[in-house]
Amino acid sequence: MLSYRHSYHAGNFADVLKHCTQLAIIDYLKRKDKPFCYHDTHSGAGSYTIASAEMQKNGEYQSGIGKLYGRRTGISIIDHYIDLIGSLNPTGRLNGYPGSPQIMLSARRPTDRAQLTELHPTDYALLQSLVGKSKKVKVYQQDAWQGLKALLPPPEKRGLVLIDPSYEVKQDYKTIVTALQQAYKRFSTGTYAIWYPVLERKATEQFMGQLANAGVRNMLRIEHCILPDVERGMTGSGMIVVNPPYTLKADMELALPVLDKLLSEGGAGSTALEQLTEE
Ligand SMILES: C[S@@+](CC[C@H](N)C(=O)[O-])C[C@H]1O[C@@H](n2cnc3c(N)ncnc32)[C@H](O)[C@@H]1O
């Protein structure tokens, strides 16, 4: 059933938006001395090798990090993301791309904690070997939705929950709404970041409607499409952020046009930034 492997897609335009958002939220959480908890529901392998057969198969990273690496955009959240990837590639050449767990591992302070769930046996093993033995970072071969129930709320009472399914199971769209409602009841002060693909506009807007009616306050929608809706396949992606840092909307107002300019195909991209539910 689990046929999706993120190694074929790592570093693509959708990862750029997701990881820029993730890092901007982590940076905001670090403004306070108090430690935070990062919970990753669908962690993947944790890090990826550009020269691997998987990453080379479709070369998706070329539509994302490949266009940004080594650049300076003047936009702080994008530049910090590019710098972090630079720090993981000490030779200067883009040899590796971080997954969401490695972004957290690189950005966290010694006191910040992470709990990472991943079901695929191969990716779980790769993730476990990336993390190694750590008191503060725990890897679980556990179902994402079970993990949310078992591991939230964190004792820190502050943190980021990244929800990043592959949507290979259509049910994921429904499950996310229920899982978010339940997690939010137990951990209402947490920030939640949900990634979604734009594959078919009508279905995307239906999903937005379901999230908007979930009874969860303060949701920000951030979207970047590199192609018009009429094209086939994944034309864009977005992030729904619950309890976003108050700085995130303004940061994204600056970042989205720059990402669009650098990543969209033939200038045919579009962006959206809207408050989906009020505070
Ligand atoms: C999109 S990838 C995650 C990418 C990762 N968050 C990143 O940004 O680097 C989705 C991952 O979810 C895993 N997965 C799928 N269904 C799952 C489930 N029910 N519970 C936990 N992991 C699951 C897949 O094996 C895959 O590695």
Side-chain angles (χ1 to χ4, degrees):
M1 190 184 78
L2 284 173
S3 57
Y4 179 93
R5 304 290 309 282
H6 196 64
S7 43
Y8 290 94
H9 311 284
N12 67 6
F13 72 90
D15 261 9
V16 170
L17 181 67
K18 173 179 50 182
H19 294 152
C20 268
T21 307
Q22 177 196 358
L23 188 58
I25 296 169
I26 290 173
D27 282 343
Y28 180 81
L29 286 164
K30 282 163 63 181
R31 287 189 185 183
K32 276 193 187 161
D33 288 339
K34 207 169 168 263
F36 68 89
C37 173
Y38 170 77
H39 182 106
D40 201 325
T41 57
H42 298 73
S43 300
S47 74
Y48 304 92
T49 304
I50 300 279
S52 65
E54 291 97 326
M55 280 194 80
Q56 288 303 320
K57 182 150 190 262
N58 300 322
E60 284 192 28
Y61 69 95
Q62 287 166 5
S63 74
I65 187 60
K67 290 183 174 173
L68 292 181
Y69 190 65
R71 276 187 185 259
R72 197 112 297 261
T73 65
I75 305 296
S76 62
I77 64 168
I78 306 177
D79 286 344
H80 186 202
Y81 159 77
I82 298 171
D83 286 349
L84 182 141
I85 291 158
S87 73
L88 296 169
N89 287 282
T91 63
R93 214 185 122 103
L94 182 64
N95 293 318
Y97 184 77
S100 48
Q102 197 180 28
I103 287 183
M104 169 59 184
L105 294 178
S106 306
R108 79 180 186 95
R109 303 162 298 187
T111 49
D112 299 321
R113 234 166 32 82
Q115 37 199 47
L116 314 170
T117 58
E118 168 57 46
L119 211 46
H120 196 292
T122 309
D123 284 351
Y124 164 74
L126 289 167
L127 183 61
Q128 184 62 79
S129 80
L130 174 78
V131 169
K133 273 213 160 109
S134 165
K135 278 199 171 137
K136 295 284 183 188
V137 184
K138 296 285 176 225
V139 183
Y140 304 83
Q141 189 175 12
Q142 189 172 26
D143 173 67
W145 316 119
Q146 297 297 329
L148 279 176
K149 285 185 188 147
L151 300 168
L152 293 185
E156 293 85 352
K157 297 275 188 289
R158 61 191 300 263
L160 167 62
V161 179
L162 179 68
I163 303 179
D164 182 23
S166 55
Y167 297 89
E168 60 182 323
V169 184
K170 279 271 173 296
Q171 183 68 20
D172 276 348
Y173 289 98
K174 278 199 176 141
T175 311
I176 283 178
V177 178
T178 319
L180 176 66
Q181 285 168 323
Q182 291 171 351
Y184 183 75
K185 267 188 199 147
R186 292 198 307 281
F187 182 34
S188 61
T189 53
T191 295
Y192 296 78
I194 301 165
W195 179 84
Y196 65 90
V198 178
L199 292 156
E200 206 259 303
R201 178 55 62 193
K202 205 169 150 206
T204 301
E205 295 314 311
Q206 269 169 6
F207 183 44
M208 292 303 110
Q210 282 151 6
L211 285 166
N213 290 317
V216 175
R217 301 173 79 93
N218 198 7
M219 280 189 192
L220 181 68
R221 175 185 186 176
I222 304 162
E223 191 176 291
H224 178 213
C225 296
I226 59 161
L227 286 166
D229 289 348
V230 289
E231 298 289 341
R232 296 173 85 106
M234 184 168 77
T235 53
S237 73
M239 299 293 291
I240 295 294
V241 184
V242 176
N243 293 330
Y246 80 93
T247 46
L248 190 63
K249 193 170 183 197
D251 280 340
M252 283 296 169
E253 247 155 33
L254 297 174
L256 283 173
V258 174
L259 288 180
D260 189 43
K261 188 162 175 241
L262 295 172
L263 303 183
S264 76
E265 300 287 336
S270 62
T271 65
L273 185 62
E274 65 162 321
Q275 192 72 31
L276 200 61
T277 58
E278 293 307 317
E279 282 183 47

